[in-house]
Amino acid sequence: MNVKILFFIIIWPFSVVAQGFSDLGSRADGFANPELNPTFNFPTDHGAHPEYRIEWWYLTANLNGSDGTSYGLQWTLFRTGLRPGEGPGWQSPQVWFAHAAVTTPGQHFATERFARGGIGQAGVEATPFRAWIDEWVLEGEDFQKMTLTANGPNFGYDMSLQANGPLVFHGDNGYSVKSEQGQASYYYSQPFFKIDGTLKLPTGNIEVEGNAWLDHEWSSQPLSDDQSGLGLVLVIVCGWCKVDGFSTTPKRWITLQLFDLDLT
Amino acid sequence: MMAWCLRALLSHWWRNPVQLFAYLAGLALATALWSGVQAINSEARASYDAAAKTLGEGQYDLLIPKQGNRIPQDVYVLLRKSGWLVSPVIDARINDVRLLGIDLVTSATGLPNLAKGPSAITYDTLLANEETALKISMLANVTVDTSIAPGIAIGDIGLVQRMLKRDDLTRLILLPNQPITQPSLGMVAPNLRVQSAHAVTNVTELTGSFHLNLTAFGLLSFVVGLFIVNSTIGLAFEQRRGMIRTIRSLGVPMRTLITLITVEMMTLAVIGAGFGIILGYFIAAFLLPDVAATLRGLYGAQISGTLELRASWWVSGMVLALIGTAVALSSRIWQIVQMPLLASAKPRAWVVATGSRFRLQLIIAITLLFSTVPLAMTLEGLLAGFILLGCLLIGAALALPPLLGGLLTLVQKYTVAPVWEWFWADTRQQLPGLSLALIALLLAVSANIGVSTMVSSFRQTFIAFLDQRLAPELFVEVETANQSAALEMFLMNRQIEVLPLLTTQVVIADLPVDLYGIRVGQTYRNNWIFLDNTLNAWDAIERGKAVVVNEQFARRADLWVGSLVQVSRDLMLPIAGVVGDYGNPQGQVIITERIFKDLYPNLYASNFGVRTKDASQLRSQIVNTLGIKNNAIINQVGIKALSLEVFERTFVVTSALNVLTLGVASFAILMSLLTLADLRVPQLAPVWALGLTRRRLAWLELLRAVLLAGIVFVCAIPMGLALAWILLTIINVEAFGWQLPMYLFPL
C-alpha cells in the first residue's frame, strides 16, 4: 500500500467539500437517506445511486485449484459522492476507487485503482449490468451470469460467475441499521455465486473454481458519533479486506482483515 | 593599553577619511556585484527546483501526441479502459501564466510535491505563488502557495479545461506499476508516442552556462574590488609605519599590535562587505527582471521576479570579502613583523624594491600569455574556456605595470626638457601605487571591449539569420489534417509558393531532436546559408539522399558534413549541410517532405510558410475562405520584431554588468589617485619651490592621469579582442551550442 495514496485519499475528500467525510456521522447535507421498508427496483438498483454519499459492490470468493490448493479472491468497487448527484465531465462530484486481491496459502497480491466520475473512466450501469474502473470489469446481461476481470502489476484474474440462489436482503428487508442512533444503509447480497476462471500469478496461470459472495450497499451516514470515522475511511482506502460478518454494535460494525496497511 | 593603542590606530582613519572611504567602498563594491550575481543565480536555481517539483518533469515517462499538442479526452479514457495507467495533464498559457490542470485522483503517485499537500487543490481553486496569483485572480479563485514555481498555476483538470474553453488534454503521465497485461500502445492510441523521462531537456543543465557567465562577471568585479582593498591596505600600512614604530617603541608587544590591527581591519571589512551586500541586493533586484526575461527568451525557463534574501548568497559574499581582506592583510602584517624598528617609509626605495618584483611579474605574465595558445588548441569544455580567459586576463594584468614602467623609462631617456624629465620620472615613481588600479581598469576595459564585440557580432549574425530564416511573408498554423490539405490546395490553385513544415520529435544519435520535413524549393535554396555543406547539397536533400542538421545537433552528436545519420530504423542518410540556428536550444534534423511522409504517414503539415507579395490580402482570404483563425496566421514582420526583442533583452544584463564593472574600475583609479595625493606633497613641494606654478602642476597631474588611462586603453584593445575571440569561439559554443562569426568592434 502506498502511504502517499492513503494520505491523499483520506485528506483529499475532506477538504474538497466543506462537508467532507468529517461530517459522515451527522445528517448528510443534500444526500438522500435510507428509509425504513425499502422497495427495491431491480435491475435499476443494481446500478449506482449518486444521490447517496457512499456505495460499494464487493465480491469475495473462496477458490480451489485442481490440486486442492485454496485461494481467496476479492474485487471491490467503491463510489463516494463529494456532493449528491452527477455533473458534466470532470465536474462530476463522484470519485471511484477499487481494490482487487488474490491470496494463496503463502502469498498475498493486492492492487488498487482510482478514477473520477463523469468522464467514463469508471461507473456502474444497471442494464445490462456493468461495473467498471479502467479495464477492471464486472459485467453480465443480468445479475445472474457475469464475468469479472482485474489486473495488477504482478497478478490478475478472469472469472465467470453464475448465481444459483436468490438475493439476500440484510436487516429489515434490505434496510440495515448500523447503530442505535438510527444510522442505516440499503444492503443486499448475492451469496450464491458459483465462480470459475483463471488466476494469473507470477508463477503462472491457475484454473480455479469455488463460491463467491457479492454485496451491494449504499448509504449516506453510516456511522454514529461514537463510531470511528477514520475506520470507515481506512476501509475505503485500503479496501479489502474480507467482510465475513456484520455487527450492529458500535465500533465493531464491520469485521476487517485489513490487507496491506503499511503506515510506516 | 589596548584601548589607547586602538585609538592611535583608528586615528589614522580620522586623519585620512578618503582612505577609509576607499577601503570601505572597495570592499562594498567587491561584495556588491558578487553577491548581486549570486543572489540572481540562487533565485533562478530556487525557481528551477520549484518548477521541477511542481511539474514533476523528468520523473515519469509521458505519452504525447505524435502531431500537435492536443490529445482528445476520449483517448485518455480508452487508454485507462485498456489497462494503461496514465494520468491526464492539460498545460496551456493564459494571461502570460502557464496553467497546469491535473487529475489528483489518478496522478496520486505522480503528484507534484506541494508544500501544503494535495489537499490544497480543490475543484474550483487554482494554486499559484503570490506574483502569479495576481495575474489570474480575475479568472478564477486562487489560493497562494509559495512552493508553486513562478509563472505556473495549478488546478483541477476540469477547472483548467473550463478556463481554457477546451475539452482535450496536453499529455498523459505514464504511471509506474503498469498491470501485467495490456494491449500495445499502437493498438489503443496510434497517435501517441512515449517520451522517455530522460528525453526532457533539463532546464538546470541548459541554463547552467548562462549562470556561469554571470558568475564570471561577478568574480571579475570582485577581483577588481579587491584590488582597491589591497592597494588601500597597502597605503594605510605604509603611512602608519611611523605610528607603528612609535607604538612598538613605547613597549606594546608585537603580538598585541598585530591582534589589534587584525581586529580593526576585519571589523571595517565586515562593515564594508555589509554595505556591499545591501548594495548587491539592490543590484540583483534591478537586474532580475531582465535576467528573467533572458532566461525565458533563450531557454523557456521561468524564474521568479521577486528576490528573496537567501543565506547562500549573502554569506558567500561576506566570507569571500573577509578572505580577500585577510589575504591582503596578511602580507602587510608580515611586512610589519619583518620591519626593522627604525626603518622609515621611503617612496623611492619602494620603487627600487618593486623593480625586482616587476621582473618576476613579467616572467609570470609572459608564461601565462604564451600558455594560452596551446591551451586554446587542446582544452575543451566550458571550464577550460574560463581557464583560458583566466590565463589571458591574469597574464595581461601582471604584464601591464612592468610594460608601463619600461615604456616610461624609454620615454624618459629621449626627453631633454627638465620639466618633462621630472614628469616621466615622477610618473614612474607613482607607478607602484597606481599599478593595481591601472590593472583593474585594464581588466574592466578589455572585458567591456570583449563583451561589446561579442554582442555586436551576435547581433549582426542574428539579424542576417532572421532574414534568412523568415523569408516567407506569412506563417500559417492549422489544427486538423483537413485544414492542412485544404490550405495547401487553396494556395496551390492560386500558384502561390507554399512551404509546408512537417515536424515530430524523435531520438537520433541518443539525442532528443526535432525532425522536420520540408519542401525544398527556391526559398530554401536562395535564403538558407550553410555553415558547411557538400556540393549541390539541396539537390541531394530534395532527392531524399541527404539531410540537413543544425549546428546544435552537429556539435552535440559530433556528426558533421559527410557523417551518416540514423533517421529511422531502416534509413541512414549522410549530412549534406549544417545550418546555423541561433537562439534555439534544441537539435534539428531536416529531411525532404517525401521521406518524412514515408516515415510518418499519419502526420500532416501543421505549419506553412507562404510566399506572397500581398500578405494582408492573402491573410484575409485564408481566414474567410478556409475558416482558419486569424491569430493562427503570423506576419513575418511580427515574428522578426518579437525575435529581436527577445534578443535585445538577452544582453541587457550583460551590458548592465559591463557598465557596473567599468564603474568599479574607474572608481579604483580615482581612489588610488586621491589616496596618493597626500603622499605626494613632499614630492611636489621641491618642484613647486623651483618655480612651477600650482596651475601648471595641476595640469601636469591631470595629463598624467589621462596619459596612463590612454595607455591602458590602448593595451586593452588587443586584450578585449582576444577576450571576444575566446568568448565567441569557446565559451559561446559551450554555453549555447553554436558558434558565431566574429565582427570586430567597433568597425
Side-chain angles (χ1 to χ4, degrees), chain B residues 332-400:
Chain B
R332 301 296 167 175
I333 288 178
W334 180 245
Q335 276 179 6
I336 294 181
V337 175
Q338 300 285 317
M339 184 177 74
L341 218 74
L342 296 175
S344 87
K346 295 187 185 90
R348 176 64 200 147
W350 197 14
V351 175
V352 175
T354 45
S356 61
R357 208 178 73 206
F358 273 2
R359 269 191 294 281
L360 180 68
Q361 238 174 293
L362 198 60
I363 292 166
I364 298 174
I366 290 171
T367 319
L368 281 174
L369 287 176
F370 274 99
S371 65
T372 53
V373 179
L375 274 179
M377 290 197 289
T378 52
L379 285 181
E380 271 178 24
L382 200 59
L383 190 66
F386 280 110
I387 291 175
L388 195 59
L389 270 186
C391 283
L392 181 75
L393 291 177
I394 296 171
L398 289 177
L400 184 71

Side-chain angles (χ1 to χ4, degrees), chain A residues 26-225:
Chain A
S26 64
R27 287 194 66 82
D29 273 344
F31 285 104
N33 282 317
E35 304 281 343
L36 210 68
N37 301 320
T39 320
F40 291 101
N41 175 21
F42 293 116
T44 311
D45 274 334
H46 290 317
H49 300 83
E51 63 276 20
Y52 292 81
R53 196 194 298 270
I54 53 170
E55 183 163 19
W56 54 71
W57 295 257
Y58 57 78
L59 184 136
T60 45
N62 288 317
L63 303 167
N64 286 302
S66 52
D67 60 354
T69 312
S70 302
Y71 297 95
L73 175 149
Q74 174 269 325
W75 189 101
T76 317
L77 179 62
F78 297 96
R79 177 192 64 76
T80 175
L82 307 173
R83 290 189 309 274
E86 270 297 353
W90 295 106
Q91 292 178 68
S92 161
Q94 305 299 327
V95 176
W96 297 83
F97 25 105
H99 190 271
V102 167
T103 52
T104 70
Q107 275 180 298
H108 169 236
F109 302 95
T111 185
E112 69 237 319
R113 293 296 173 87
F114 303 89
R116 292 266 285 273
I119 55 163
Q121 191 188 334
V124 177
E125 288 162 0
T127 359
F129 181 79
R130 181 176 163 82
W132 81 98
I133 183 165
D134 297 342
E135 85 279 25
W136 298 9
V137 184
L138 172 63
E139 66 178 339
E141 278 305 310
D142 51 34
F143 219 56
Q144 295 293 306
K145 189 173 163 55
M146 295 197 277
T147 57
L148 171 75
T149 59
N151 271 309
N154 55 357
F155 79 101
Y157 48 73
D158 286 310
M159 311 301 291
S160 298
L161 299 157
Q162 175 70 57
N164 54 7
L167 295 178
V168 173
F169 294 86
H170 296 256
D172 189 355
N173 286 324
Y175 178 79
S176 168
V177 177
K178 302 298 182 197
S179 78
E180 285 145 14
Q181 284 89 351
Q183 273 81 4
S185 68
Y186 289 136
Y187 187 6
Y188 67 85
S189 303
Q190 171 49 279
F192 308 114
F193 274 120
K194 279 284 169 206
I195 182 168
D196 64 80
T198 311
L199 300 180
K200 294 178 278 185
L201 299 178
T203 46
N205 290 358
I206 297 165
E207 299 299 323
V208 287
E209 56 177 29
N211 297 308
W213 168 315
L214 177 66
D215 288 314
H216 180 200
E217 182 170 17
W218 65 100
S219 179
S220 292
Q221 20 78 288
L223 297 180
S224 68
D225 288 344

Side-chain angles (χ1 to χ4, degrees), chain A residues 2 4 8 11-12 15 82 90-92 113-116 119-121 132 134-135 151-156 200, chain B residues 73 76-77 80-81 83 85 88 103-106 108-109 119 121 123 156-158 161-162 178-181:
Chain A
N2 185 320
K4 206 189 225 171
F8 148 68
I11 295 301
W12 188 60
S15 54
L82 307 173
W90 295 106
Q91 292 178 68
S92 161
R113 293 296 173 87
F114 303 89
R116 292 266 285 273
I119 55 163
Q121 191 188 334
W132 81 98
D134 297 342
E135 85 279 25
N151 271 309
N154 55 357
F155 79 101
K200 294 178 278 185
Chain B
Q73 191 156 297
Y76 162 68
V77 175
R80 289 291 308 207
K81 287 167 85 172
L85 296 187
D103 172 28
L104 279 171
V105 171
T106 48
T109 46
S119 58
I121 291 191
Y123 274 156
D156 179 66
I157 189 157
Q161 277 189 347
R162 286 201 298 285
Q178 296 286 326
I180 41 169
T181 50

Side-chain angles (χ1 to χ4, degrees), chain B residues 168-354:
Chain B
D168 52 15
L169 311 165
T170 310
R171 60 177 172 271
L172 303 172
I173 299 170
L174 198 51
L175 300 170
N177 297 325
Q178 296 286 326
I180 41 169
T181 50
Q182 59 182 191
S184 77
L185 183 64
M187 278 174 62
V188 189
N191 294 324
L192 299 186
R193 65 181 183 85
V194 178
Q195 185 182 53
S196 154
H198 310 293
V200 179
T201 335
N202 185 337
V203 173
T204 314
E205 238 166 65
L206 264 185
T207 54
S209 31
F210 178 82
H211 292 296
L212 199 56
N213 269 333
L214 286 187
T215 309
F217 255 112
L219 203 58
L220 180 64
S221 134
F222 181 78
V223 169
V224 169
L226 274 194
F227 279 150
I228 304 178
V229 174
N230 191 44
S231 60
T232 336
I233 290 182
L235 201 66
F237 272 77
E238 207 60 47
Q239 290 179 341
R240 287 202 285 189
R241 278 186 183 211
M243 180 207 295
I244 288 164
R245 201 174 52 220
T246 314
I247 294 177
R248 287 271 286 120
S249 308
L250 288 172
V252 176
M254 180 64 91
R255 191 180 294 272
T256 313
L257 191 62
I258 288 174
T259 312
L260 282 175
I261 290 176
T262 312
V263 168
E264 174 212 18
M265 297 305 273
M266 293 315 265
T267 311
L268 288 176
V270 168
I271 295 170
F275 276 125
I277 286 163
I278 295 169
L279 201 61
Y281 179 84
F282 285 111
I283 291 175
F286 169 71
L287 290 179
L288 196 61
D290 286 318
V291 172
T294 302
L295 289 167
R296 198 166 48 240
L298 272 186
Y299 307 102
Q302 194 81 29
I303 73 163
S304 168
T306 49
L307 201 62
E308 271 180 54
L309 206 64
R310 292 175 212 277
S312 63
W313 62 264
W314 69 261
V315 169
S316 90
M318 181 63 86
V319 167
L320 220 56
L322 293 183
I323 290 176
T325 313
V327 169
L329 201 59
S330 57
S331 69
R332 301 296 167 175
I333 288 178
W334 180 245
Q335 276 179 6
I336 294 181
V337 175
Q338 300 285 317
M339 184 177 74
L341 218 74
L342 296 175
S344 87
K346 295 187 185 90
R348 176 64 200 147
W350 197 14
V351 175
V352 175
T354 45

Side-chain angles (χ1 to χ4, degrees), chain A residues 13-29:
Chain A
F14 272 73
S15 54
V16 169
V17 178
Q19 298 80 25
F21 280 167
S22 51
D23 225 16
L24 277 181
S26 64
R27 287 194 66 82
D29 273 344

